[in-house]
């Protein structure tokens, strides 16, 4: 059968059967073409039906639609994006089953399900139990951490639904199932365990004193037939620094060995509760199509009674506002990953990725994910199953620790896809232990980037909040070096790894969205201009900045991308009392040998490009070198607002000299020979040893792109083509 060309008004069918096709159109054009194009008819009728039956504002002229068609990570998808002021309305089209007619005429239409009106319903509870049982009975790796589930030091005993009881229980090392709660605290005070009420809580906890989120989680634990739940604010003595440090060090293993984690994903604080009712703007509408004439005969609100209505002469399709999913891997017609409340919190990052199973209470529905699978209520489960091949492609010969490591792959687009669609598997120990060295480095860089986009109430919690993930990464790296018995066999220093230290130093601050109407991003940019309050990491570590972090080559990821040109002589960190090197730190030191190049700081030509006056990392400073080099560009990113250097520039305007800084050569990007530098400034040392030598702080990263164009037969070494490097001298530098 001859394939039809794509419709010029809706783009269906797309020219490619893989990937995404984004087609720009308008509602008026699709309505005018509805009589000759079935897809235009379904889209235009669905859009009008949705807008006329909900409280959403109806634009006077919808002429900037984006039609998204294509094959995604777990299935197919047909979505329309409609601009509504500064935001986007996303509508998903789907069917209840893929009949032969659907496959023939609408091959990119996916399967969807009608969901219960509330996550507290019996139907939702039954669905959750079904997912848990399926995981427990079928997934070897999800259950491997539960075989020796020793109860944490303290847990809350919840009793049963028939005989509810509530008290804090101090365990005696016995084994049993327990559930963990993952939630946002918020700013409003709520009941916590303190020295003064510890004994009272061991006798009884009044349920009326608990905030709604804890109350709902405790009741859900009873409904699942589990007797214990771990809640940090109740199980850790909150006014004891020693108890907090002791239990914080165990927190990763507590979540990792729990039977299930209940995540209050859509609740901004402890008072938001776990459960939600489906908002009216997210109801589903049915469109019945005559398969003989392609005429849409009627449209109405879909319910369980008319779901899956299909006859010999009709097909029923559905349209609804796209639900918010934790990641893109669950639903093939899901939109972008929303920044739900728990997706913004730093501590919750490792709570999610280390635990075997998580049940998310989202803003519209329940969502389940484990180490080997994920599912949501709105999508057919067969579309969301994650087999081994989808995790590591052709390398998925078996997810186990004995799987031989393959040669490094250059297909890092696959890593990018995994990170967005099956993040729990990608950021988990099962996959890490069969990755190569380069892939582990790349996975860590991706993880740091995602983690640093989240917020922490207390700056000092940065490293403790990922210490469990760091421990798992250390085990995976140690195995590469034949040191699988030592959890710290490869060296972990303030978020960087000794076996990839030079590449790990190539980080920069990076904001993904600089739209002035993004309040969260504006808040982040303002926080970025200052380093973390109080010392929490040496300046050479990404942990010293208040900003999202990106790494050199993160978008490319190939193993041959970068050649180091310096030597690490020494690196060390000092842990805080009661902590270890994976957790809270009090000092750090790095000694490097390599080429050091002096430069002078100047004002950038463009001081600001934002209406609100906020300046971005590449707009703070410029550098001048002692020689003129044509046709190369400075890519200079500062780590903070550089207030001290800006102050010196103000003095220079009054007649002083430009401040001198130093560029330390880390290495070169192989393609094009682009050198990459750390930006350093001299500071006073703290110890006697440091006072006796030059000590530096890092304040940014510099990359010179080029080199200048040259003849094809010109084989001049790249160093000679950058005349500025002639001023560099080999030095040993100490960075603190």
């Amino acid at each position: 059968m001859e394939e039809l060309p794509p419709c010029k008004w809706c783009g269906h069918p797309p020219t490619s059967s893989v990937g995404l096709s984004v087609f720009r159109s308008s509602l008026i054009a699709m309505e005018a073409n509805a009589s000759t194009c079935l897809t235009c008819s379904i889209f235009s009728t669905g859009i009008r039906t949705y807008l006329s039956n909900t409280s959403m504002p109806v634009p006077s002229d919808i002429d900037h639609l984006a039609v998204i068609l294509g094959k995604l990570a777990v299935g197919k998808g047909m979505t329309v994006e409609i601009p509504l002021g500064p935001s986007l309305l996303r509508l998903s089209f789907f069917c209840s089953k893929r009949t032969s007619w659907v496959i023939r005429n609408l091959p990119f239409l996916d399967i969807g399900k009608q969901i219960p009106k509330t996550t507290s319903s019996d139907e939702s509870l039954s669905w959750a139990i079904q997912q848990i049982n399926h995981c427990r009975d079928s997934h070897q790796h999800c259950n491997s951490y539960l075989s020796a589930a020793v109860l944490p030091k303290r847990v809350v005993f919840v009793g049963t639904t028939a005989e509810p009881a509530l008290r804090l229980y101090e365990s005696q090392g016995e084994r049993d199932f327990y559930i963990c709660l993952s939630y946002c605290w918020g700013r409003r005070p709520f009941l916590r365990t303190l020295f003064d009420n510890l004994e009272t809580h061991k006798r009884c906890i009044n349920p009326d004193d608990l905030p709604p989120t804890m109350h709902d989680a405790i009741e859900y634990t009873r409904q699942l037939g589990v007797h214990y739940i771990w809640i940090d604010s109740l199980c850790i003595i909150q006014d004891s620094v020693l108890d907090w440090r002791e239990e914080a060090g165990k927190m990763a293993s507590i979540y990792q060995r729990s039977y299930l984690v209940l995540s209050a994903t859509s609740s901004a604080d402890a008072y938001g509760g776990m459960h939600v009712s489906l908002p009216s703007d997210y109801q589903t509408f049915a469109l019945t199509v005559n398969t003989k004439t392609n005429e849409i005969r009627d449209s109405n609100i879909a319910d369980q009674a008319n779901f899956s209505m299909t006859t010999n002469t009709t097909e029923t399709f559905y349209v609804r506002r796209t639900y918010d999913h934790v990641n893109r891997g669950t639903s093939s017609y899901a939109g972008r990953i929303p920044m739900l409340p728990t997706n913004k919190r730093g501590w919750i990052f490792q709570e999610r990725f280390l635990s075997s199973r998580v049940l998310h209470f989202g803003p519209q529905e329940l969502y389940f994910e484990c180490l080997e699978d994920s599912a949501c209520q709105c999508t057919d489960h067969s579309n969301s199953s994650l087999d081994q091949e989808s995790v590591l492609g052709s390398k998925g010969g078996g997810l186990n620790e004995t799987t031989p490591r393959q040669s490094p792959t250059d297909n890092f687009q696959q890593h990018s896809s995994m990170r967005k669609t099956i993040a729990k598997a990608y950021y988990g120990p099962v996959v890490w232990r069969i990755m190569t060295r380069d892939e582990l480095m790349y996975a860590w860089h991706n993880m740091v980037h995602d983690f640093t986009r989240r917020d922490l109430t207390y700056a000092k919690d940065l490293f403790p909040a990922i210490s469990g993930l760091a421990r798992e990464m250390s085990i995976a790296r140690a195995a590469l070096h034949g040191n699988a018995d030592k959890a710290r066999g490869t060296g972990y220093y303030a978020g960087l790894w000794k076996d990839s230290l030079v590449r790990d130093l190539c980080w920069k601050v990076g904001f993904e969205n600089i739209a002035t109407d993004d309040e969260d991003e504006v808040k982040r940019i303002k926080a970025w201009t200052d380093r973390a309050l109080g010392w929490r990491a040496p300046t050479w570590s990404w942990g010293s900045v208040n900003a999202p972090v990106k790494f050199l080559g993160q978008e490319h990821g190939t193993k041959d991308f970068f050649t180091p040109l310096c030597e690490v002589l020494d690196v060390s960190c000092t842990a805080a009392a009661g902590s270890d090197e994976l957790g809270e730190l009090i000092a750090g030191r790095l000694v490097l040998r390599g080429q050091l190049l002096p430069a002078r700081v100047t004002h950038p030509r463009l001081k600001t490009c934002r209406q609100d006056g906020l300046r971005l990392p590449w707009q703070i400073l410029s550098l001048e070198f002692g020689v003129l080099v044509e046709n190369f560009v400075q890519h200079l990113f500062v780590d903070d607002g550089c207030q001290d250097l800006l102050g010196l520039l103000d003095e220079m305007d009054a007649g002083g000299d430009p401040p001198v800084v130093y560029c330390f050569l880390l290495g070169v990007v192989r393609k094009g020979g682009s050198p990459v530098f750390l930006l350093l400034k001299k500071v006073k040392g703290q110890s006697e040893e440091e006072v006796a030598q030059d000590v530096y702080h890092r304040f940014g990263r510099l990359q010179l792109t080029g080199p200048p164009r040259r003849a094809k037969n010109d084989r001049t070494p790249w160093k000679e083509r950058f005349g500025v490097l002639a001023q560099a001298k080999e030095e040993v530098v100490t960075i603190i």
Side-chain angles (χ1 to χ4, degrees):
M1 181 173 128
E2 184 179 354
E3 292 186 2
L4 296 175
C7 171
K8 65 179 181 179
W9 301 117
C10 71
H12 187 272
T15 55
S16 175
S17 60
V18 296
L20 287 179
S21 167
V22 180
F23 191 86
R24 304 293 174 180
S25 186
S26 72
L27 179 58
I28 295 175
M30 287 196 292
E31 286 180 325
N33 195 48
S35 60
T36 58
C37 175
L38 174 62
T39 313
C40 282
S41 177
I42 291 176
F43 278 151
S44 58
T45 304
I47 293 169
R48 288 293 185 194
T49 298
Y50 177 85
L51 292 176
S52 62
N53 285 280
T54 64
S55 60
M56 298 294 294
V58 181
S60 57
D61 181 19
I62 308 176
D63 57 358
H64 297 289
L65 298 180
V67 178
I68 303 174
L69 308 169
K71 185 174 182 181
L72 300 166
V74 293
K76 302 175 182 298
M78 293 178 66
T79 303
V80 172
E81 291 184 346
I82 304 170
L84 293 178
S87 60
L88 282 175
L89 169 65
R90 292 177 176 84
L91 299 181
S92 297
F93 292 78
F94 61 96
C95 58
S96 59
K97 58 183 178 181
R98 292 178 58 79
T99 64
S100 58
W101 188 91
V102 170
I103 295 172
R104 184 171 62 254
N105 292 277
L106 297 166
F108 291 92
L109 199 66
D110 198 20
I111 298 175
K113 287 186 175 182
Q114 183 73 309
I115 69 171
K117 297 298 183 183
T118 174
T119 57
S120 62
S121 66
D122 291 340
E123 298 97 317
S124 292
L125 177 62
S126 297
W127 181 88
I129 292 174
Q130 179 184 0
Q131 307 310 314
I132 295 168
N133 290 342
H134 172 73
C135 174
R136 184 190 62 196
D137 298 338
S138 306
H139 298 158
Q140 172 188 353
H141 297 288
C142 297
N143 293 298
S144 62
Y145 293 101
L146 301 177
S147 58
V150 177
L151 288 178
K153 180 178 180 180
R154 301 183 192 95
V155 287
V156 176
F157 177 73
V158 302
T160 65
T161 53
E163 298 182 8
L166 205 60
R167 67 177 183 272
L168 189 63
Y169 174 67
E170 292 190 341
S171 67
Q172 306 300 317
E174 63 268 43
R175 291 181 171 86
D176 205 339
F177 292 117
Y178 65 92
I179 282 174
C180 286
L181 174 62
S182 182
Y183 66 109
C184 297
W185 279 37
R187 297 186 179 276
R188 294 172 60 186
F190 54 87
L191 182 68
R192 300 174 299 158
T193 294
L194 308 171
F195 271 125
D196 289 344
N197 61 17
L198 175 61
E199 295 303 320
T200 300
H201 283 183
K202 288 163 67 174
R203 292 191 298 270
C204 178
I205 298 175
N206 186 350
D208 294 335
D209 293 338
L210 295 174
T213 299
M214 293 186 193
H215 191 278
D216 290 347
I218 288 169
E219 181 58 32
Y220 211 84
T221 300
R222 292 179 182 137
Q223 291 176 319
L224 293 175
V226 180
H227 295 153
Y228 301 101
I229 185 171
W230 191 89
I231 302 174
D232 56 358
S233 58
L234 295 178
C235 299
I236 300 176
I237 303 174
Q238 296 299 311
D239 55 354
S240 169
V241 174
L242 291 179
D243 192 65
W244 187 91
R245 281 182 177 168
E246 178 185 350
E247 294 304 297
K250 303 174 185 176
M251 202 175 297
S253 64
I254 288 174
Y255 278 89
Q256 195 171 40
R257 295 185 178 277
S258 66
Y259 178 72
L260 175 72
V261 171
L262 301 178
S263 177
T265 305
S266 61
S267 182
D269 58 32
Y271 289 88
M274 302 284 290
H275 298 291
V276 295
S277 296
L278 187 67
S280 59
D281 290 342
Y282 286 86
Q283 61 187 325
T284 302
F285 297 92
L287 311 173
T288 303
V289 179
N290 187 312
T291 57
K292 303 297 183 183
T293 64
N294 286 349
E295 178 185 1
I296 300 179
R297 300 189 312 186
D298 59 79
S299 59
N300 53 278
I301 297 176
D303 54 32
Q304 293 295 348
N306 65 12
F307 215 71
S308 303
M309 284 198 320
T310 299
T311 69
N312 292 333
T313 60
T314 64
E315 291 281 352
T316 303
F317 307 103
Y318 305 91
V319 59
R320 63 184 170 207
R321 189 174 182 180
T322 301
Y323 293 163
D324 294 321
H325 291 81
V326 177
N327 60 37
R328 296 192 186 107
T330 308
S331 173
S332 59
Y333 48 83
R336 66 176 182 176
I337 301 173
M339 285 306 289
L340 299 169
T342 56
N343 286 354
K344 299 179 181 181
R345 304 303 302 166
W347 272 105
I348 295 176
F349 189 81
Q350 76 172 1
E351 294 173 8
R352 174 187 173 193
F353 293 124
L354 284 178
S355 57
S356 296
R357 293 185 278 262
V358 184
L359 182 63
H360 296 270
F361 291 75
Q364 297 95 27
E365 60 173 344
L366 296 178
Y367 166 68
F368 176 85
E369 63 177 349
C370 65
L371 298 177
E372 300 186 33
D373 206 352
S374 66
C376 62
Q377 289 181 280
C378 73
T379 305
D380 184 74
H381 187 272
S382 61
N383 281 345
S384 60
S385 294
L386 306 176
D387 58 23
Q388 295 176 12
E389 185 175 354
S390 69
V391 176
L392 285 180
S394 61
K395 293 171 59 180
L399 294 179
N400 58 71
E401 297 180 23
T402 61
T403 300
R405 298 177 187 257
Q406 309 296 320
S407 58
T409 175
D410 287 344
N411 185 21
F412 282 83
Q413 291 295 328
Q414 184 181 23
H415 280 249
S416 178
S417 175
M418 290 161 56
R419 169 187 167 202
K420 295 173 182 177
T421 59
I422 51 174
K424 185 162 178 58
Y426 181 60
Y427 289 144
V430 174
V431 174
W432 282 354
R433 292 177 191 180
I434 57 174
M435 280 186 176
T436 64
R437 176 183 177 276
D438 289 279
E439 288 177 320
L440 286 172
M441 178 188 69
Y442 190 64
W444 182 259
H445 289 175
N446 282 333
M447 195 205 77
V448 169
H449 173 64
D450 290 342
F451 173 70
T452 53
R453 294 174 60 201
R454 296 177 175 235
D455 298 322
L456 289 165
T457 303
Y458 303 103
K460 63 181 178 59
D461 289 352
L462 180 92
F463 293 125
I466 58 165
S467 60
L469 288 167
R471 182 168 282 104
E472 291 294 340
M473 175 61 73
S474 185
I475 293 171
R477 287 177 178 245
L480 281 172
H481 297 270
N483 196 16
D485 294 331
K486 295 184 179 180
R488 297 186 297 273
T490 54
Y492 176 75
Y493 302 96
L496 287 68
W497 299 92
K498 190 171 183 179
D499 63 355
S500 59
L501 191 59
V502 177
R503 282 294 298 269
D504 291 352
L505 287 169
C506 296
W507 57 267
K508 68 172 184 178
V509 297
F511 295 94
E512 294 185 345
N513 185 352
I514 58 173
T516 55
D517 58 1
D518 190 328
E519 294 182 2
D520 286 341
E521 201 67 14
V522 170
K523 180 181 177 182
R524 277 191 169 280
I525 295 172
K526 289 180 177 178
W528 151 75
T529 57
D530 294 318
R531 295 265 177 171
L533 293 177
W535 193 97
R536 75 176 180 191
T539 59
W540 44 266
S541 166
W542 52 263
S544 64
V545 299
N546 287 321
V549 168
K550 288 185 175 181
F551 290 82
L552 182 71
Q554 194 172 335
E555 297 84 2
H556 308 284
T558 56
K559 62 184 178 67
D560 295 326
F561 177 78
F562 180 82
T563 300
L565 293 174
C566 64
E567 181 183 359
V568 179
L569 299 181
D570 185 39
V571 58
S572 62
C573 288
T574 304
S579 182
D580 62 21
E581 59 266 42
L582 300 180
E584 187 178 344
L585 303 175
I586 58 172
R589 180 173 177 268
L590 174 65
V591 182
L592 301 173
R593 176 161 50 210
Q595 299 295 312
L596 193 66
L597 172 69
R600 292 191 178 273
V601 174
T602 66
H603 281 297
R605 281 178 284 176
L606 191 64
K607 293 186 178 180
T608 179
C609 70
R610 294 171 58 88
Q611 295 177 356
D612 52 18
L614 291 176
R615 297 165 74 181
L616 295 165
W618 54 90
Q619 299 171 320
I620 301 292
L621 302 171
S622 290
L623 296 180
E624 284 186 354
F625 300 95
V627 297
L628 178 64
V629 180
E630 298 180 351
N631 298 327
F632 77 83
V633 179
Q634 296 182 28
H635 296 275
L636 189 156
F637 289 83
V638 295
D639 299 339
D640 55 39
C642 295
Q643 295 304 309
D644 54 344
L645 292 175
L646 291 177
L648 292 174
L649 285 175
D650 293 337
E651 295 178 9
M652 182 194 72
D653 292 339
D657 293 327
V660 176
V661 295
Y662 299 88
C663 306
F664 182 85
L665 181 63
L666 288 175
V668 60
V669 176
R670 290 190 179 184
K671 187 176 181 180
S674 176
V676 180
F677 302 85
L678 286 185
L679 295 177
L680 306 176
K681 56 187 178 184
K682 285 186 179 180
V683 296
K684 292 182 179 180
Q686 303 297 319
S687 65
E688 293 184 6
E689 180 184 0
E690 291 173 352
V691 170
Q693 59 183 327
D694 290 333
V695 179
Y696 299 84
H697 277 178
R698 168 185 163 143
F699 72 91
R701 193 190 85 187
L702 171 69
Q703 183 175 356
L704 302 181
T705 57
R709 291 184 179 179
R710 56 199 174 102
K712 289 184 178 180
N713 59 354
D714 183 1
R715 302 300 180 187
T716 306
W718 66 269
K719 283 187 178 181
E720 296 180 17
R721 286 186 268 116
F722 278 101
V724 68
L725 292 174
Q727 302 175 89
K729 296 181 180 179
E730 184 175 286
E731 300 281 357
V732 174
V733 299
T734 299
I735 311 171
I736 58 175

